[in-house]
Amino acid sequence: MAYDASTLPDVSGLTVGIIGGTGDQGRGLAYRFARAGQTVLIGSRSAERAAESAAEIAALPGVPPGGSVTGAANDEVARRSDVVIIAVPWDGHAATVAALAEPLAGRIVVDCVNPLGFDKQGPYALTVAEGSAVQQAAALLPDSRVCAAFNHVSAPLLADPEVDRIDLDVLICTEDRELVDIVGALAARIPGMRGIYAGRLRNAHQIEAFTANLIAINKRYKAHAGIRVTDL
């Protein structure tokens, strides 16, 4: 079956929370969803820092006047959101996710964290005991609906107000097939993006690890490369 955007559900009324919303990837995603008119909550360990980041995003070009972008501590964002994106640094991933297990119960959780290390030769994939970052999240969040997505989206492109379209596919790994359509519909709120089912959670490791290859591509060609799946 070919990709058909017309079959995607209406997700315009969902509140999207971003844990790690003050970092580059989190801010970029928040900006794009805010531009699309989505209600966005910025999460941080510091509520004050989250509020400052939210105010900065709300003032960026393309965000509708009076749009809803607010900031709060991670716990509050988890409780108030329908969909929560985890965009924290890998070294704080387990502790942050574990601390939010109770408020994230029943929520859709989208993990976009890539476990990478860096040395003189550049980035490389780290070994994760659970298999991948999203599998670690799923193990820590037994009462949440978990998927991996947005792993390969360039933070500089997301943050650039002059970029209207981001032409790439968002690869979605999950055990919950309904999430493919919901998260795919959220991806489609960003012009140029498609959400594509890419297998179960056990297939997320190579998607997370491939970010190291994309960083090498970007460095070599001075680009902001993404992924596009052909024949769909």
Side-chain angles (χ1 to χ4, degrees):
M1 181 179 67
Y3 176 87
D4 183 359
S6 69
T7 65
L8 296 174
D10 179 8
V11 295
S12 60
L14 297 182
T15 296
V16 178
I18 302 182
I19 304 299
T22 59
D24 291 343
Q25 193 78 0
R27 281 176 60 93
L29 287 169
Y31 174 47
R32 290 294 158 173
F33 287 127
R35 273 179 65 141
Q38 210 79 31
T39 297
V40 177
L41 301 180
I42 303 294
S44 174
R45 287 175 295 179
S46 164
E48 182 180 359
R49 187 178 176 201
E52 291 174 356
S53 183
E56 292 168 0
I57 292 168
L60 290 173
V63 177
S68 181
V69 186
T70 55
N74 286 335
D75 186 87
E76 182 179 346
V77 168
R79 293 182 190 281
R80 291 172 52 195
S81 301
D82 301 302
V83 177
V84 177
I85 298 174
I86 306 295
V88 298
W90 167 243
D91 58 5
H93 182 264
T96 300
V97 172
L100 297 173
E102 189 273 326
L104 286 175
R107 302 290 188 273
I108 295 171
V109 176
V110 180
D111 198 301
C112 69
V113 176
N114 300 310
L116 300 179
F118 295 85
D119 60 19
K120 292 181 180 180
Q121 298 183 64
Y124 60 94
L126 297 174
T127 299
V128 180
E130 297 85 353
S132 62
V134 71
Q135 285 173 293
Q136 182 183 85
L140 294 169
L141 303 172
D143 298 318
S144 301
R145 305 173 67 189
V146 179
C147 73
F150 300 108
N151 300 81
H152 297 151
V153 185
S154 164
L157 286 184
L158 289 171
D160 189 343
E162 296 186 5
V163 174
D164 293 323
R165 291 179 57 86
I166 302 180
D167 290 306
L168 57 77
D169 289 334
V170 172
L171 303 181
I172 304 169
C173 289
T174 184
E175 308 297 319
D176 186 337
R177 296 300 180 91
E178 186 183 5
L179 293 191
V180 178
D181 288 343
I182 296 172
V183 176
L186 280 173
R189 300 277 286 163
I190 302 173
M193 283 193 192
R194 302 188 304 177
I196 304 295
Y197 175 66
R200 294 177 179 271
L201 291 181
R202 68 182 184 181
N203 291 321
H205 164 72
Q206 56 266 34
I207 290 175
E208 296 171 2
F210 191 68
T211 303
N213 301 85
L214 286 175
I215 293 172
I217 291 169
N218 290 336
K219 183 177 180 181
R220 173 66 177 82
Y221 297 100
K222 297 180 173 57
H224 298 295
I227 299 294
R228 183 65 97 188
V229 178
T230 62
D231 199 34
L232 281 182

